[in-house]
Amino acid sequence: MGLGLGPWLNKKIVDPLLQILRRGAEPKQLAFSTALGITIGIFPVCGVTVFLSGMAIAVLGSNCHAPSVMLANFIATPVELSLIVPFLRFGEAISGGPHFSLTSDALKKVLTGQASQDVLLSIAHALLGWLVAAPFILAALYILLLPIFKILVFKFSSIPSSPKKPLHPHSDVKLKRSSASAIKD
């Protein structure tokens, strides 16, 4: 019944990643798609990253690997929450806007739907911070992930490196076995 974190991580992250790698996608496409999924996944407005990832997949089409984008988006969710305040402060610094005081009263207003103009301005600052940082984050992640995916694809891909090699080298053995049993019958 697996109640620990290990089985959950295997089911939700490791197994899907291994399936992606075994299907033979290109390392460049996987690195770009994963970097894109993480970059979108840290968007500072909670609850919209899956929608934004879907839009990116629709716009980019075959230039990205949809399962990798979505898996990376899922993995980035805890990081998203930890980066909201840095994006807010970065956006305030860029715009020269007022420093938004993070108090329990401000959070209460947001949660009850009584957000003031200050709260809406702080959301705009966080979006600005993310928008400016996103291209750099995407590029840095791509550079970091490309060599990793080259190694992982080489190690786990089930697609043969040569078109002359069959996908399953034992397939002709099974055929001979089947033919031999057919002759006996």
Side-chain angles (χ1 to χ4, degrees):
M1 181 169 155
L3 295 174
L5 183 61
W8 182 87
L9 286 172
N10 281 334
K11 182 179 178 188
K12 297 293 184 180
I13 296 171
V14 175
D15 291 344
L17 177 61
L18 288 174
Q19 287 178 3
I20 289 167
L21 292 170
R22 288 183 179 134
R23 293 197 177 146
E26 288 292 316
K28 287 181 180 181
Q29 186 183 39
L30 289 174
F32 171 72
S33 300
T34 303
L36 180 66
I38 292 171
T39 303
I40 293 172
I42 60 171
F43 186 76
V45 177
C46 298
V48 298
T49 61
V50 171
F51 174 72
L52 292 175
S53 292
M55 287 179 44
I57 291 166
V59 169
L60 294 171
S62 64
N63 292 323
C64 73
H65 187 255
S68 297
V69 172
M70 297 309 281
L71 180 61
N73 183 327
F74 174 72
I75 292 169
T77 300
V79 179
E80 171 190 20
L81 299 174
S82 66
L83 290 177
I84 291 173
V85 173
F87 285 137
L88 167 64
R89 298 298 179 229
F90 185 48
E92 289 171 347
I94 293 169
S95 69
H99 182 78
F100 181 74
S101 182
L102 297 169
T103 63
S104 59
D105 185 50
L107 179 61
K108 189 165 118 179
K109 286 181 180 180
V110 169
L111 295 175
T112 60
Q114 301 169 352
S116 67
Q117 185 176 5
D118 292 338
V119 172
L120 296 176
L121 183 60
S122 72
I123 292 169
H125 285 146
L127 292 175
L128 176 64
W130 177 84
L131 193 60
V132 171
F136 298 103
I137 294 168
L138 179 67
L141 287 171
Y142 177 77
I143 291 167
L144 176 74
L145 292 170
L146 184 57
I148 294 169
F149 275 113
K150 284 182 179 180
I151 293 167
L152 290 174
V153 166
F154 177 76
K155 185 173 181 173
F156 291 103
S157 179
S158 62
I159 305 298
S161 57
S162 167
K164 294 181 181 180
K165 290 183 183 176
L167 275 176
H168 303 285
H170 303 293
S171 60
D172 49 331
V173 173
K174 289 180 183 175
L175 287 174
K176 289 179 185 176
R177 186 183 230 176
S178 297
S179 300
S181 36
I183 293 173
K184 289 181 183 177
D185 289 338

